[in-house]
Amino acid sequence: RKPRARMANGAPARPLRLGCLGDSWVSDWRPPTEAAHDGRQVITSPLVAGLRTGLEQRGFPVERLLAAGFPGGRADRILDYVQVCSLQELATLSERGCSIKNDAAETLRFERLAVRRLGSHWQEEVDVLLVLL
C-alpha cells in the first residue's frame, strides 16, 4: 500500500483536482490502430498520464485531471478560447481533436458546448492548472 502524503498539520492530503492546458506539451496526435477510430488519428496525453502516476506514487491522490492539449496551437489562439469557455469544455474539444484555428465562439457552438460572454467570470473546479506552451 502506498503512503499517503500529509499536509503541514499532519492531516492526510485531500484528493487533488488538476488541469493541464497547452499545445503539444500536453497532448499530441498518435497514429491510429487498425482496429480503432476508423483510421483517424487520435489524441494522446502521455505527460498528463505521467503527472497523475507520479503524484499518486508519492501519496497524492488525484480526484480529477483535465487535459486540454492542442498540438500546433499558438498561445494567442488558446487565450481566445480560455476567455469564452471553461477548462472542461476545452478538455472536451481536445478529446474530440478539434482545431482551435477557427473562431472560438463558432467552434464551441458547432461542437454544442457553452459559449461564455467575453469578460464574464466563472469558477473552475481545479486546485492547480498547469499551462504548458
Side-chain angles (χ1 to χ4, degrees):
R1 185 173 166 185
K2 298 175 198 158
R4 185 139 183 217
R6 300 217 168 254
M7 305 293 282
N9 65 4
R14 70 177 176 84
L16 297 171
R17 299 168 303 173
L18 306 170
C20 292
L21 172 65
D23 55 13
S24 57
W25 282 101
V26 175
S27 298
D28 210 350
W29 292 107
R30 182 183 69 195
T33 60
E34 289 183 27
H37 306 288
D38 300 324
R40 292 176 286 156
Q41 287 188 325
V42 293
I43 204 87
T44 183
S45 300
L47 180 135
V48 175
L51 176 64
R52 175 188 290 272
T53 300
L55 286 168
E56 289 178 343
Q57 285 176 346
R58 287 163 181 79
F60 293 96
V62 177
E63 175 183 313
R64 183 176 187 207
L65 181 52
L66 293 172
F70 301 95
R74 296 187 341 237
D76 62 329
R77 296 301 305 145
I78 293 172
L79 178 61
D80 289 344
Y81 277 77
V82 300
Q83 292 177 5
V84 296
C85 70
S86 70
L87 181 59
Q88 177 62 59
E89 290 153 340
L90 284 166
T92 299
L93 288 175
S94 176
E95 288 170 12
R96 293 178 183 174
C98 295
S99 171
I100 59 169
K101 293 179 182 176
N102 300 314
D103 179 74
E106 286 179 24
T107 300
L108 290 163
R109 278 192 286 277
F110 181 80
E111 293 294 327
R112 299 179 191 267
L113 297 171
V115 180
R116 313 238 197 268
R117 192 170 46 95
L118 186 62
S120 64
H121 297 282
W122 59 92
Q123 185 170 345
E124 299 283 359
E125 294 192 11
V126 295
D127 299 311
V128 176
L129 175 63
L130 299 175
V131 179
L132 305 166
L133 296 170

